[in-house]
Amino acid sequence: MLLENLIASCGAKFTNPIRTYSADELIRATNNFDPSCIIHDGRNYQMFRGFLDDRSIVVKKFMWENYEDEARSLAICDIIISMQVSNHNNVLKLLGCCLEFPIPALVHENAAKGVLNSRGGLGPNDQSLLPWKTRLRIAKQLANVLTYLHTAFPRIIIHRSLTPSCIFLDHDFVPKLSNFSLSVTIPWNVTSTTEVRGTRGYLDPAYLMYFHISEKTDVYGLGMLLLVFLTGQREALKFYLPEGDEQNIPYASASDGQIQETVDPKIFEEVGEDEKARQDLHDFTVLALL
């Protein structure tokens, strides 16, 4: 089934550029998936740091319990999309997979700094926020990789789950986008509909209300990420329930100037009186709230 999906996705010119790992190799690399090796605990998967063939790796293992079929579909989607996009410098490179577990496991390159926390920083308990220039550079590179997903292939790739937890940083603080398990591909210039999947707080309201998915779905998620970088807070938005509407619709607004009050004070300290830096901060804020 996995190979059939890969061939259908990659077409007649399909070649398999990734390695197939054995279960024994990954068990050995992660000390039998020891909890001490966990670097990220997602909603339906865990990521373990391991060491194999004289290199550090990250192993993604899906948790399934009573949802084996769904978990397998997520893993296969993750492998298929990751294979196609791993050559981009801002994607967490897929090295291979293991098909010997009930649910395929993915093996990625390691990213030395680890995964972003919910406030867009590094470290446990949301403690370590990044310098403003680093946040700005990360945001620009994420916009670049989204453009790649949306324009470089015969069908548009929609990530559909942009959150801090899918962004790793290497030793130079270069962002590496990961977790393509919820990604979908759609035709060009066609309105597509699909069930709503993703993380509450980062979902495009049009997608929530009408199930319409497009590049704008990712652009909205990126906007929410920009707000997190700007404020150093978790989802920088509010929820309200319109009368007679069953959907919770997220929104953010700077009409009353409140967003300026919530900008991370460290940013103002770093920017100081630098006119260009102030302009960059202003442009960033405007872009985040489009």
Side-chain angles (χ1 to χ4, degrees):
M1 179 181 176
L2 176 59
L3 289 178
E4 290 175 355
N5 278 281
L6 291 174
I7 293 170
S9 173
C10 298
K13 297 182 179 179
F14 166 72
T15 58
N16 185 4
I18 63 174
R19 171 180 167 182
T20 300
Y21 293 85
S22 70
D24 285 343
E25 285 179 302
L26 300 192
I27 289 172
R28 188 169 64 253
T30 60
N31 193 21
N32 197 21
F33 297 101
D34 190 279
S36 66
C37 296
I38 295 175
I39 58 173
H40 177 59
D41 201 344
R43 182 178 304 172
N44 48 28
Y45 64 90
Q46 292 176 319
M47 300 186 82
F48 298 80
R49 181 168 281 123
F51 197 77
L52 185 65
D53 297 337
D54 298 324
R55 71 181 299 177
S56 186
I57 60 171
V58 172
V59 179
K60 183 175 185 178
K61 194 170 187 289
F62 284 84
M63 301 175 290
W64 52 281
E65 296 182 357
N66 298 323
Y67 302 94
E68 183 175 352
D69 289 343
E70 180 181 359
R72 183 178 293 107
S73 295
L74 293 175
I76 290 172
C77 180
D78 208 347
I79 293 170
I80 291 173
I81 302 298
S82 295
M83 282 179 60
Q84 297 179 73
V85 303
S86 278
N87 286 334
H88 195 284
N89 189 51
N90 296 121
V91 171
L92 190 67
K93 185 177 180 62
L94 181 69
L95 302 177
C97 62
C98 175
L99 307 181
E100 296 180 7
F101 297 111
I103 307 299
L106 286 72
V107 180
H108 289 280
E109 66 176 348
N110 183 40
K113 298 296 184 183
V115 65
L116 293 184
N117 60 38
S118 61
R119 295 177 62 191
L122 291 170
N125 303 317
D126 304 339
Q127 293 174 350
S128 178
L129 295 177
L130 301 171
W132 167 239
K133 288 184 179 179
T134 301
R135 301 185 215 185
L136 187 60
R137 185 174 66 253
I138 290 171
K140 290 178 179 178
Q141 292 177 323
L142 289 175
N144 178 270
V145 71
L146 279 187
T147 300
Y148 172 72
L149 296 180
H150 295 168
T151 63
F153 301 94
R155 290 172 62 91
I156 300 168
I157 297 174
I158 309 298
H159 186 278
R160 200 161 60 148
S161 187
L162 283 171
T163 66
S165 65
C166 67
I167 300 166
F168 285 74
L169 301 182
D170 71 7
H171 64 283
D172 292 321
F173 293 92
V174 174
K176 305 287 184 175
L177 185 62
S178 69
N179 190 20
F180 294 91
S181 60
L182 294 180
S183 297
V184 295
T185 65
I186 61 174
W188 290 82
N189 302 318
V190 174
T191 299
S192 298
T193 59
T194 184
E195 64 176 324
V196 174
R197 301 289 297 272
T199 300
R200 182 183 175 94
Y202 292 88
L203 293 174
D204 174 14
Y207 179 39
L208 274 172
M209 294 177 67
Y210 307 113
F211 309 105
H212 291 170
I213 191 166
S214 70
E215 303 96 312
K216 294 179 182 179
T217 306
D218 281 346
V219 172
Y220 185 90
L222 177 62
M224 292 299 102
L225 277 174
L226 297 187
L227 286 176
V228 171
F229 290 149
L230 186 68
T231 64
Q233 302 295 323
R234 294 178 177 86
E235 297 90 335
L237 49 122
K238 305 292 184 182
F239 290 92
Y240 72 96
L241 187 63
E243 184 176 353
D245 196 328
E246 296 180 353
Q247 296 283 355
N248 280 338
I249 310 298
Y251 73 101
S253 174
S255 59
D256 57 3
Q258 288 184 349
I259 191 65
Q260 296 298 333
E261 298 176 7
T262 60
V263 169
D264 181 8
K266 292 183 179 179
I267 294 178
F268 290 118
E269 294 175 9
E270 185 177 337
V271 167
E273 299 301 321
D274 187 316
E275 184 174 342
K276 182 180 184 305
R278 283 181 170 272
Q279 185 61 49
D280 287 342
L281 176 58
H282 171 77
D283 294 344
F284 190 98
T285 305
V286 172
L287 182 62
L289 294 172
L290 283 179

